[in-house]
Amino acid sequence: MEFLAAAIAIGLGALGAGIGNGLIVSKTVDGIARQPELKGTLQTVMFIGVGLVEAIPIIAVVFALLFTFVFAG
């Protein structure tokens, strides 16, 4: 049962990150289409945002494994 909970936590973290990354990239493309001269600045902010969003599934994996193997066993 612990493995199922870990799989759900990891899956939801990955789902949220996928949605977040899609929104970040789509808004960046919209911004570049509106103001092409700000391409470099918008890309920099996008990469920082994507990096922060990608931290969420990594933290979810760590917590899931921690609770599965340390606290449940």
Side-chain angles (χ1 to χ4, degrees), residues 1 6-7 21 26-27 36 42-43 46 54-55 57 60-62 64 68 71:
M1 194 65 165
N21 283 337
S26 71
K27 298 299 181 181
L42 291 173
Q43 279 185 337
M46 179 193 72
E54 284 298 321
V61 167
V62 170
T68 300
F71 295 121

Side-chain angles (χ1 to χ4, degrees), residues 7-71:
I8 291 171
I10 294 169
L12 289 177
L15 179 68
I19 292 170
N21 283 337
L23 290 173
I24 290 171
V25 172
S26 71
K27 298 299 181 181
T28 302
V29 170
D30 287 344
I32 292 172
R34 290 175 185 260
Q35 294 182 329
E37 67 274 5
L38 293 178
K39 179 182 177 186
T41 305
L42 291 173
Q43 279 185 337
T44 302
V45 173
M46 179 193 72
F47 287 135
I48 292 170
V50 167
L52 291 173
V53 169
E54 284 298 321
I56 294 170
I58 294 170
I59 293 170
V61 167
V62 170
F63 281 155
L65 294 177
L66 180 72
F67 288 130
T68 300
F69 293 115
V70 175
F71 295 121

